[in-house]
């Protein structure tokens, strides 16, 4: 399967403004890109790329006065298979976890394990450790939260989403991964492309998606508390402790979003 992905995002700025962007496809999927991924700025300002501490590809630029439009596109080869399901994947004792995985047990900006630990143990303490426990958490979050773009707020945390019972995909991911951490399962936030492939098209405009990965039996596995069912065509862009680590853009000065357009479509054979 081949998937065409891309975006056009415009920002208005009253004065030259430094930015960090995280819009490139993740290094783990670079080998799947057919040809080359292109990301350009209009006006044509230089973009300097580097890897952050989580291994994500970041770009630095200075948006000129008036603003900047960022455009990206890529053709990505994909297996066409749904997310991997490994029901016998087990939960590792914390003392056996690799050093670099321990950070994904800790609280982070949007994931307050201290506020949700008692709830997590009361709900999932008797579930089978491992895959079944993560799926029980996903189902709980799926049933607890109502999805809607009107419920989006950049400051909403996992605890807030649980109490308000409404949110967007990042809130589903934040709450589920926080409950996993409370139960001793390392979990990290993911962002990327997820088009309507293999499902009926959704009427809402395409957006980037948020999901999470849990560390079981020595591997990272994909989970999605919003959709629960495995999905086809997921293309990872970045991972981190929570959404604060994978922001699409960070501006060091005043900027306003003027346009936001995303595509992720299967390329049908001629």
């Amino acid at each position: 399967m081949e998937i065409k992905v891309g975006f056009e995002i415009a920002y208005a700025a009253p004065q030259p403004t430094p930015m960090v962007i995280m819009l490139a496809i993740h290094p783990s999927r670079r080998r799947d890109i057919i040809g080359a991924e292109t990301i350009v700025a209009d006006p044509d300002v230089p973009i300097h790329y580097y890897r952050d501490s989580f291994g994500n590809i970041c770009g630095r630029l200075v948006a000129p006065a008036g603003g900047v439009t960022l455009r990206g596109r890529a053709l990505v080869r994909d297996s066409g298979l749904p997310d991997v399901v490994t029901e016998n994947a087990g939960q590792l004792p914390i003392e056996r976890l690799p050093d670099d995985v321990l950070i994904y047990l800790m609280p982070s900006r949007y994931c307050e394990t201290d506020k949700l630990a008692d709830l997590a143990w009361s709900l999932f303490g008797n579930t089978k450790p491992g895959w079944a426990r993560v799926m029980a958490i996903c189902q709980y979050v799926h049933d607890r939260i109502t999805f809607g773009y009107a419920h989006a707020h950049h400051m909403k945390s996992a605890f807030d989403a649980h109490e308000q019972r409404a949110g967007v995909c990042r809130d589903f991911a934040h709450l589920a991964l926080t409950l996993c951490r409370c139960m001793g399962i390392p979990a990290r936030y993911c962002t990327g492309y997820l088009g309507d492939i293999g499902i009926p098209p959704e009427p809402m405009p395409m957006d980037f998606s948020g999901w999470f990965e849990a560390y079981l039996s020595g591997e990272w596995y994909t989970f999605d508390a919003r959709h629960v069912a495995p999905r086809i065509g997921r293309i990872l862009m970045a991972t981190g402790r929570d959404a604060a680590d994978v922001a699409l853009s960070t501006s060091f000065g005043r900027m306003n979003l003027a346009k936001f357009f995303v595509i992720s479509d299967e390329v049908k054979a001629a």
Side-chain angles (χ1 to χ4, degrees), residues 165-187:
R165 306 189 69 155
V168 291
C169 55
R170 70 173 247 164
D171 301 309
F172 284 78
H174 279 155
L175 179 54
L177 73 85
T178 302
L179 293 172
C180 284
R181 291 178 188 174
C182 291
M183 300 304 297
I185 302 170

Side-chain angles (χ1 to χ4, degrees), residues 11 14 41 52 64 66 101 128 135 145 157 214 216:
Y11 299 92
D52 69 7
V101 172
K128 181 181 178 181
M135 285 305 300
I145 298 180
S157 69
L216 301 171

Side-chain angles (χ1 to χ4, degrees), residues 52-66:
D52 69 7
S53 58
F54 297 99
N56 305 311
I57 300 173
C58 304
R60 297 179 62 176
L61 68 147
V62 178

Side-chain angles (χ1 to χ4, degrees), residues 117-131:
D118 289 344
L119 173 72
W121 278 98
S122 69
L123 292 172
F124 310 111
N126 293 324
T127 56
K128 181 181 178 181
W131 191 275

Side-chain angles (χ1 to χ4, degrees), residues 104-121:
Y104 299 107
L105 285 176
M106 309 296 184
S108 55
R109 177 176 177 181
Y110 294 113
C111 301
E112 317 101 317
T113 52
D114 54 340
K115 291 184 178 180
L116 289 165
D118 289 344
L119 173 72
W121 278 98

Side-chain angles (χ1 to χ4, degrees), residues 51-147:
R51 299 280 185 97
D52 69 7
S53 58
F54 297 99
N56 305 311
I57 300 173
C58 304
R60 297 179 62 176
L61 68 147
V62 178
V68 66
T69 298
L70 301 166
R71 298 183 180 93
R73 64 180 181 179
L75 185 62
V76 183
R77 186 181 298 106
D78 191 80
S79 69
L81 299 174
D83 300 326
V84 173
V85 175
T86 307
E87 294 182 350
N88 62 350
Q91 182 172 338
L92 295 177
I94 292 175
E95 61 271 21
R96 287 177 50 198
L97 292 172
D99 295 341
D100 61 348
V101 172
L102 289 175
I103 191 173
Y104 299 107
L105 285 176
M106 309 296 184
S108 55
R109 177 176 177 181
Y110 294 113
C111 301
E112 317 101 317
T113 52
D114 54 340
K115 291 184 178 180
L116 289 165
D118 289 344
L119 173 72
W121 278 98
S122 69
L123 292 172
F124 310 111
N126 293 324
T127 56
K128 181 181 178 181
W131 191 275
R133 176 168 286 170
V134 179
M135 285 305 300
I137 288 171
C138 287
Q139 190 63 56
Y140 173 80
V141 174
H142 178 79
D143 295 340
R144 177 82 182 181
I145 298 180
T146 298
F147 179 87

